[in-house]
Amino acid sequence: MSSSQRATTDAARAPGLISVDQARAFMLARARALEEIESVPLTEALGRVLARAETSPIDVPGYANSSMDGYALRAADVIGDAPVSLRVAQRIAAGELGVTLASGEAARIFTGAPLPEGADAVVIQEDCQQDGDQVRFRGPVAAGDNVRPRGNDIVAGHEVLAAGTRLRPQELGLAASVGLAELDVVRRLRVAIFSSGDELVQPGEPLAAGAIYNSNRYILRGLLSALGCESIDLGSVEDSLAATEAALVEAAAKADVVVTSGGMSVGDEDHVKQAVERAGKLEMWQVAVKPGKPLAYGRIATADFIGLPGNPVSTLLTFCLFVRPFLLRRQGVREVLGKALSVPAAFRWPRPGRRREYVRARLEQGSDGVAVNIYPKQGSDVLTSTVWADGLVEIREGDTIEPGDLVPYYPFAELIF
């Protein structure tokens, strides 16, 4: 996008609303990191957040070893590129220890096996011919060829995992490689959820006229599970001020964070905003984002409160954009914002908006390479668009887009997990 296409954010943004960046910064500044720590075995640590930095008690590898199948030898026995013949004095497989290698000798060796004392290089088997106890090959050979030195990956005493790391399979493998059987992690964040609306029916129940199935309940449970949180599911709450306030008080007593969906507008049947103001304090309300303008943050007793809009797409997207980074920061994660890719647009967006918009999109392979296209229906009720899509395109306030323009594309993998 050219600068001529973009108005300033302040001028382009809808009046009376705070920007996406302001809202996110406001919430993150109030995300208090959990202090309770527990020790868990590696088998239970996936997705948890490391509470303390871990250092390695050992070198990895703990010995010089062969990076290839071949023959270990002394590089000094090979002069230039002349043919060489050495006596094969021993055979060393991974997990075995050889004996000291004398001058003029070679050891048949396999990947990962320790180099015998005296050896300092390995010639790969494809370059060798063995005849009886003799192996022949041509030089040159240099000390260190096809050898992994001791400590090549990790040196004892060095930090291998930083505090605040969300543990993926590769972090668990790294911890195992240095002999750590348990890790100190932040306890799971307890998040209470409920949906507001008399029209909501649970899947499996008969669907009366005017009713809808409660999809937000399952969206939120899935999102919280992906973040390693403990869900406290309070189901649906009737559309009354008293019931909503009671549900908020109950949720705040059980959880670190309360997340609701629906009831955040100002209609006669929208009670969440007023209930929060009665039970606690509402600190932020209405953000210049589409979909999802009625987004709220506040506090009820010691719990954080986050109110999401009720349309299912709005619930999903505002969670990804605002709730996910907040919950990660509360668990002590340092880097909490998703990373965008810059991708050519395969669509046109001719009308500049006054709110920052996040449109459902997916990458497609075209004749000119990969580009990103958007779903034809972008309504906040069109949940099928989130299944079709593999990410979101961010369209800033005041922007227009033409095919070929580079746009910020956020894969769902950067916004959900």
Side-chain angles (χ1 to χ4, degrees), residues 215-216 219 223 291 311-318 320 358-362 374-392 409-413 416:
S215 57
N216 285 350
I219 290 172
L223 290 166
N311 281 323
V313 174
S314 299
T315 296
L316 173 66
L317 268 58
T318 50
C320 292
Y358 291 87
V359 294
R360 279 79 76 198
R362 74 179 181 190
I374 63 174
Y375 197 72
K377 295 181 180 180
Q378 289 290 330
S380 59
D381 61 322
V382 185
L383 194 55
T384 50
S385 65
T386 65
V387 176
W388 174 91
D390 52 24
L392 303 174
Y409 163 77
Y410 290 86
F412 275 137
I416 291 177

Side-chain angles (χ1 to χ4, degrees), residues 118-388:
D120 59 6
V122 172
V123 179
I124 63 174
Q125 62 185 17
E126 291 85 351
D127 293 339
C128 299
Q129 289 184 331
Q130 184 170 353
D131 183 9
D133 67 352
Q134 296 292 309
V135 60
R136 296 182 177 85
F137 57 91
R138 297 185 69 94
V141 175
D145 283 356
N146 302 308
V147 174
R148 302 172 181 140
R150 177 174 181 148
N152 183 56
D153 185 14
I154 300 167
V155 176
H158 283 203
E159 182 178 299
V160 289
L161 294 172
T165 300
R166 281 187 76 199
L167 298 168
R168 303 169 296 173
Q170 50 265 55
E171 278 86 20
L172 301 185
L174 182 58
S177 76
V178 299
L180 300 177
E182 295 184 341
L183 294 172
D184 289 338
V185 297
V186 178
R187 75 155 169 86
R188 292 188 186 276
L189 191 69
R190 294 186 287 268
V191 183
I193 59 171
F194 67 81
S195 303
S196 176
D198 290 339
E199 75 279 12
L200 298 177
V201 175
Q202 297 308 314
E205 297 177 0
L207 194 65
I212 59 172
Y213 286 119
N214 186 357
S215 57
N216 285 350
R217 180 182 191 182
Y218 300 92
I219 290 172
L220 290 175
R221 286 180 64 111
L223 290 166
L224 291 172
S225 177
L227 295 180
C229 297
E230 177 187 337
S231 297
I232 302 172
D233 187 352
L234 301 181
S236 301
V237 175
E238 67 177 78
D239 277 331
S240 75
L241 179 58
T244 304
E245 184 178 356
L248 287 170
V249 171
E250 177 189 359
K254 295 179 177 180
D256 305 299
V257 183
V258 178
V259 178
T260 65
S261 64
M264 281 309 307
S265 296
V266 291
D268 292 343
E269 298 302 319
D270 295 310
H271 302 292
V272 175
K273 179 177 181 290
Q274 186 179 356
V276 172
E277 293 172 327
R278 287 166 58 110
K281 181 181 180 182
L282 193 66
E283 300 181 26
M284 185 191 82
W285 186 54
Q286 293 203 328
V287 179
V289 64
K290 184 178 181 181
K293 179 177 69 173
L295 171 72
Y297 171 82
R299 293 285 296 276
I300 302 170
T302 61
D304 297 288
F305 165 79
I306 304 174
L308 305 181
N311 281 323
V313 174
S314 299
T315 296
L316 173 66
L317 268 58
T318 50
F319 187 102
C320 292
L321 297 170
F322 300 96
V323 184
R324 175 186 177 273
F326 180 85
L327 298 182
L328 290 177
R329 182 61 58 81
R330 283 224 58 187
Q331 295 177 78
V333 179
R334 297 172 181 174
E335 299 295 329
V336 297
L337 299 182
K339 297 179 177 64
L341 305 175
S342 186
V343 183
F347 64 93
R348 176 174 285 104
W349 193 269
R351 294 179 215 159
R354 304 187 75 180
R355 288 186 280 163
R356 191 172 305 182
E357 191 150 358
Y358 291 87
V359 294
R360 279 79 76 198
R362 74 179 181 190
L363 299 178
E364 296 179 348
Q365 180 69 49
S367 57
D368 296 328
V370 175
V372 63
N373 211 345
I374 63 174
Y375 197 72
K377 295 181 180 180
Q378 289 290 330
S380 59
D381 61 322
V382 185
L383 194 55
T384 50
S385 65
T386 65
V387 176
W388 174 91

Side-chain angles (χ1 to χ4, degrees), residues 37-52:
I37 296 171
E38 57 190 19
S39 183
V40 299
L42 291 184
T43 53
E44 298 176 14
L46 182 65
R48 304 296 294 273
V49 178
L50 194 65
R52 300 187 181 94

Side-chain angles (χ1 to χ4, degrees), residues 19-30:
S19 72
V20 169
D21 297 328
Q22 289 171 329
R24 203 147 43 197
F26 183 92
M27 293 175 64
L28 290 178
R30 286 154 180 79

Side-chain angles (χ1 to χ4, degrees), residues 399-411:
D399 279 354
T400 59
I401 297 170
E402 293 296 326
D405 287 346
L406 293 177
V407 295
Y409 163 77
Y410 290 86

